Amino acid sequence: MSFILGSGSPRRKELLAQIGVVPDDIRAPDIDETPHTAELPRPYCARMAREKAAAVQAGSDDIVLCADTTVAVGRRILGKPADEAETIRFLRLMSGRRHKVITAVAVKRGDKLWQRDVVSTVRMKRLSDTEITAYLATGDWQGKAGGYGIQGPAGALIPWISGSFTGIVGLPLAETANLLRAAGYVFAGETS
């Protein structure tokens, strides 16, 4: 049995290491992440995690973990911004208000799938143009849902959260550990 992380995210690999899980292999799936017309953020996020897990080639006894993180303002999905202009639009939309961060986790072993999604609420402070420009200059927005990562420089822009900090970063650890156990993963120090 091998444990395969179906994600190229260095943050997810780092988060797994916090609970003593080291992947035997990393296989980032390449899927179309375009939301369907009128698709709501939470079902979209869950679908992405399932589709990623289905796209990872693995043996029948291998355990595959995939996840998707989506930032949502109301019914609007804020994916990974294409450029600085889109990042500015996202930051202005979230400025001074609350938004949701949804992370869906899918664990596959053979033809079985275990899935869970975690929704956290985040409040971003009211941002000045100077703060937006300074944040853009860090480059930290690149490759991150909603154009920010709470664990980096944007942490200074977030005065309040409700929910799972690790879920906001990209992998809710308590829920992930439970899914891995359900799939038969044995953590160090545990017996099967």
Side-chain angles (χ1 to χ4, degrees):
M1 172 180 62
S2 291
F3 172 65
I4 300 162
L5 174 58
S7 173
S9 165
R11 292 166 298 283
R12 289 194 178 114
K13 185 178 174 190
E14 291 164 8
L15 286 167
L16 284 170
Q18 290 180 24
I19 57 171
V21 176
V22 178
D24 297 304
D25 196 5
I26 296 175
R27 300 180 195 162
D30 183 20
I31 66 165
D32 178 3
E33 297 190 34
T34 307
H36 294 155
T37 304
E39 189 170 28
L40 295 174
R42 194 169 181 175
Y44 162 79
C45 192
R47 178 175 66 84
M48 287 296 95
R50 279 192 311 276
E51 289 184 8
K52 288 176 182 180
V56 174
Q57 296 299 311
S60 62
D61 206 36
D62 292 340
I63 296 175
V64 176
L65 182 142
C66 293
D68 187 77
T69 301
T70 299
V71 172
V73 176
R75 299 166 62 95
R76 184 170 175 192
I77 296 168
L78 306 185
K80 296 172 186 167
D83 52 29
E84 285 190 3
E86 188 169 37
T87 305
I88 291 168
R89 283 194 302 278
F90 286 177
L91 292 173
R92 286 193 174 136
L93 182 64
M94 293 181 287
S95 176
R97 58 194 290 203
R98 293 180 183 188
H99 60 275
K100 302 286 185 191
V101 177
I102 305 145
T103 297
V105 182
V107 174
K108 173 179 84 168
R109 185 171 184 182
D111 60 358
K112 286 189 162 185
L113 184 76
W114 295 264
Q115 190 168 0
R116 178 80 194 273
D117 57 81
V118 174
V119 180
S120 301
T121 303
V122 177
R123 187 171 71 78
M124 188 169 282
K125 67 179 268 187
R126 188 168 308 282
L127 304 176
S128 67
D129 289 344
T130 303
E131 287 170 315
I132 291 173
T133 301
Y135 177 68
L136 287 173
T138 69
D140 191 62
W141 57 271
Q142 297 177 42
K144 295 188 174 84
Y148 79 92
I150 195 170
Q151 72 281 6
L157 310 176
I158 310 291
W160 180 89
I161 72 166
S162 175
S164 168
F165 178 79
T166 57
I168 296 166
V169 174
L171 195 66
L173 290 180
E175 294 80 2
T176 297
N178 287 338
L179 292 172
L180 288 171
R181 283 187 186 97
Y185 186 89
V186 179
F187 287 81
E190 294 181 348
T191 54
S192 53

